[in-house]
Amino acid sequence: MNRGDSSRRDFLKKCATGAAVLGAAGKAWPEPVMRAEGMPLLAAAEQTAAPGKSKVVIARDAMLRGTTTTVDSSRVLSLLDRAMQSFFNVDHPAEPWKKLVRPGDTVGLKINTLGGRGLSTNVQLVEAICERLQEIGIKAQDIIIWDRDTDEMDRVGFRTSTADNRVQCFGTDRIGYEDELSTFGKVGSRLSKILTQRTNVMINLPILKDHEGAGVTIAMKNMYGVIHNPNKCHPNGCDPYVADVNMLPAVRSKMRITICDATTACYEGGPGFKPQYSWQENALMVSQDPVALDYTSWQIIEKKRAEKKLKTLEAAGRPPRYIATAADAKHQLGTNDPRRIDLIEVSA
Amino acid sequence: MNESRMWLAACTIALCLAVIAVAGCNRKPAASGSPFPASNEAAGWTKTGETRTFEAADLWKYIDGEAERYLKAGAQRVETADYRFQNKIDAVVDIYTMGAADSAAKILDSEPAGDAKSVPLGDAARLYGQSLVFRKGPALVRIVAYQESAETPQAMLDLGRKIADRLSR
């Protein structure tokens, strides 16, 4: 218990202070868990992470907004390149994407627009990803930017597009959910047809946020946006619902990577945008292990809460228990053990 | 005989319709009107979108993840509309209709005050650099601005006062 607490404190310190490759060698966590069409999806990251560890990259740019309040498109593209190249340990901006997708893939970019303007996936980030995907041969019409609701997307700046030869952009409300339930554990949900029928690869683009019920909402919780009944999955701090949703076969098999938009983040009052509880982290976080990414992000939120003299989420009665559940023997979605997380921080 | 039965049935239906109509009116007092100020009612503010309403059962569609807290406190609905101040500041106004003044207080008091300024508005109010939250009776009002500038707090306060006036009617 003490050892775990100490380990977590060390991790938190390293999150705050700079580049870190965490110490004690951990035993490798189970077999690569996310596979699609025979492609071992963690393989690429495993090649660049320390043995037996999950890699999480945090890339920051203090000048991401220049002197304005909005992020600068060219700096976002540079930041994305730095994050992805660091994650895959490659020199050219196109290389990471070649490890994730192939021409002919239909790629879904699952954004998060629930928080509304101010706390949603940035359009500039999504445009940068579309640019890189097209550079490696993904056709524009084979890219779908999506979330649950087209109006919500429109409100935060994603213009609806269903025209031929263009990047597609619309919500599940346009084509609906599957008729049949997909089930795992306590979850029984109908999945978005964008996930099941229109795409074979998913890139997860969540936000770094506090969450009133779940504690935090980052990579795994963003999958509530692919099911028809997220409102039924909030009891008990969303535990084990978040982990169970991520176990649904279509979610698990199509997920390739998470790129968390932590340009603006929120340490209290989430998931909606409340400027008084938000801060500009000016960062992107990348991982193929959603549990490791969520654990790392949670520590960042705790650090900010401590700065603001707020209780820890545990003391506030809403620790994100679902993160440990996602790492347990039943789920094995990744690791929440800081000794098994290879945390790399890069700055502009 | 048949005619008298038909007459009785017609009278029963008419009575039912009258009861339903009266009940409906009770749910929405005629004097209340919209709490959202029209364009330029608050100097410099333009209402840029239609008012959207989410009843309690659909609250999650607007604030999924936070809905439970509001429902536990007795939220009945939320109405929301977008505004713009002098083409410089975009904002959203959310007005929650809670079951009672205590319910509105419960929500406001559950949120850390942080560096809020206390301002004389409604029954209690907090003003931040980009946000104004206040309650008046069973209403909880939240104004969020998307741009921070020196004039943002005062502009939000002006808009908030007009909303408070309308809530008093």
Side-chain angles (χ1 to χ4, degrees):
Chain A
M1 180 72 179
N2 285 339
R3 187 176 169 186
D5 287 348
S6 167
S7 176
R8 195 176 135 191
R9 274 199 300 276
D10 290 346
F11 185 77
L12 183 57
K13 197 172 168 187
K14 284 167 181 170
C15 277
T17 55
V21 176
L22 294 177
K27 193 176 170 185
W29 54 280
E31 288 288 297
V33 291
M34 293 176 283
R35 293 175 188 274
E37 297 174 3
M39 182 180 180
L41 297 177
L42 290 181
E46 282 176 340
Q47 288 166 8
T48 62
K53 293 188 174 187
S54 289
K55 192 170 185 178
V56 176
V57 168
I58 306 176
R60 292 189 176 87
D61 178 0
M63 291 303 296
L64 195 63
R65 297 160 207 262
T67 56
T68 69
T69 55
T70 55
V71 297
D72 177 82
S73 294
S74 62
R75 294 196 79 104
V76 168
L77 180 61
S78 296
L79 187 63
L80 174 69
D81 288 341
R82 266 202 307 283
M84 294 296 284
Q85 288 172 229
S86 175
F87 186 80
F88 287 100
N89 202 17
V90 293
D91 295 328
H92 192 276
E95 291 304 312
W97 303 98
K98 290 178 183 171
K99 293 176 183 289
L100 288 172
V101 294
R102 309 179 184 109
D105 279 338
T106 49
V107 183
L109 304 180
K110 170 62 180 72
I111 58 176
N112 186 303
T113 55
L114 180 69
R117 211 171 141 185
L119 202 57
S120 292
T121 312
N122 272 287
V123 172
Q124 294 91 331
L125 172 62
V126 176
E127 285 174 344
I129 293 169
C130 290
E131 186 176 330
R132 289 292 178 246
L133 287 172
Q134 289 175 80
E135 278 174 9
I136 62 155
I138 305 295
K139 292 176 184 170
Q141 64 269 30
D142 287 342
I143 302 170
I144 304 181
I145 302 162
W146 69 285
D147 201 355
R148 66 175 189 176
D149 186 81
T150 308
D151 283 346
E152 278 180 358
M153 293 169 64
D154 189 65
R155 284 177 180 280
V156 302
F158 290 95
R159 298 287 164 252
T160 306
S161 169
T162 54
D164 291 343
N165 301 320
R166 299 191 60 174
V167 171
Q168 307 290 291
C169 184
F170 56 88
T172 297
D173 58 304
R174 292 293 177 97
I175 65 168
Y177 295 89
E178 293 289 349
D179 292 331
E180 290 191 9
L181 289 176
S182 184
T183 61
F184 186 91
K186 288 195 170 183
V187 168
S189 298
R190 294 160 55 209
L191 294 171
S192 167
K193 288 181 182 173
I194 298 175
L195 174 69
T196 57
Q197 297 183 17
R198 299 290 294 271
T199 57
N200 71 317
V201 168
M202 175 160 52
I203 295 177
N204 188 15
L205 304 174
I207 303 294
L208 175 57
K209 290 196 288 188
D210 170 85
H211 189 280
E212 172 66 30
V216 298
T217 169
I218 309 152
M220 291 188 285
K221 178 74 169 52
N222 194 32
M223 292 303 101
Y224 272 30
V226 315
I227 59 175
H228 84 290
N229 56 350
N231 56 321
K232 303 294 184 193
C233 297
H234 282 103
N236 194 42
C238 303
D239 183 38
Y241 302 93
V242 172
D244 287 350
V245 167
N246 281 268
M247 290 296 287
L248 297 177
V251 174
R252 198 175 186 191
S253 66
K254 295 187 180 185
M255 181 75 76
R256 293 283 168 95
I257 197 164
T258 298
I259 304 170
C260 174
D261 184 339
T263 54
T264 299
C266 149
Y267 60 86
E268 170 72 18
F273 180 49
K274 296 184 180 64
Q276 64 269 33
Y277 307 131
S278 300
W279 86 100
Q280 294 178 354
E281 181 71 6
N282 293 318
L284 298 178
M285 302 177 68
V286 176
S287 187
Q288 287 185 301
D289 178 340
V291 186
L293 191 141
D294 279 1
Y295 178 84
T296 305
S297 305
W298 169 26
Q299 305 315 309
I300 292 171
I301 287 175
E302 292 286 17
K303 176 178 171 277
K304 182 57 71 171
R305 290 179 65 83
E307 271 178 37
K308 298 292 180 180
K309 302 192 188 319
L310 292 177
K311 292 177 182 172
T312 63
L313 290 171
E314 175 92 48
R318 49 191 184 95
R321 288 187 301 270
Y322 69 83
I323 295 176
T325 301
D328 70 15
K330 182 180 174 188
H331 296 83
Q332 299 184 32
L333 286 162
T335 182
N336 67 332
D337 181 346
R339 293 166 300 179
R340 296 180 187 175
I341 298 173
D342 188 0
L343 176 63
I344 308 293
E345 296 192 64
V346 292
S347 297
Chain B
M1 186 68 177
N2 280 345
E3 263 185 35
S4 65
R5 277 187 180 169
M6 284 175 64
W7 177 245
L8 186 61
C11 286
T12 305
I13 290 168
L15 185 63
C16 288
L17 289 174
V19 168
I20 290 167
V22 169
C25 287
N26 284 343
R27 279 201 296 269
K28 197 169 186 177
S32 66
S34 169
F36 290 92
S39 293
N40 291 317
E41 191 175 324
W45 282 101
T46 305
K47 188 167 182 282
T48 56
E50 294 296 311
T51 301
R52 296 181 298 149
T53 302
F54 298 86
E55 298 294 339
D58 288 333
L59 206 55
W60 66 277
K61 291 180 180 172
Y62 184 56
I63 52 167
D64 193 28
E66 286 180 273
E68 287 77 7
R69 181 166 68 107
Y70 282 85
L71 293 173
K72 273 185 194 166
Q76 297 175 343
R77 75 182 65 82
V78 60
E79 296 169 276
T80 179
D82 293 334
Y83 280 81
R84 182 170 294 148
F85 179 72
Q86 294 180 346
N87 285 324
K88 288 187 280 190
I89 301 167
D90 294 313
V92 61
V93 176
D94 295 337
I95 303 178
Y96 292 88
T97 302
M98 309 298 290
D102 283 356
S103 305
K106 200 171 182 179
I107 294 292
L108 186 59
D109 295 346
S110 71
E111 299 177 357
D115 57 358
K117 286 182 187 170
S118 185
V119 288
L121 178 62
D123 300 328
R126 292 175 185 171
L127 180 64
Y128 301 89
Q130 278 181 261
S131 176
L132 170 66
V133 192
F134 71 94
R135 62 183 175 86
K136 185 176 177 63
L140 179 84
V141 180
R142 196 183 296 281
I143 302 175
V144 169
Y146 295 111
Q147 292 84 20
E148 189 167 20
S149 72
E151 56 193 330
T152 303
Q154 185 58 49
M156 289 190 299
L157 204 48
D158 292 344
L159 181 59
R161 286 188 176 124
K162 291 297 177 187
I163 293 169
D165 288 347
R166 282 177 161 259
L167 288 168
S168 301
R169 291 177 193 170

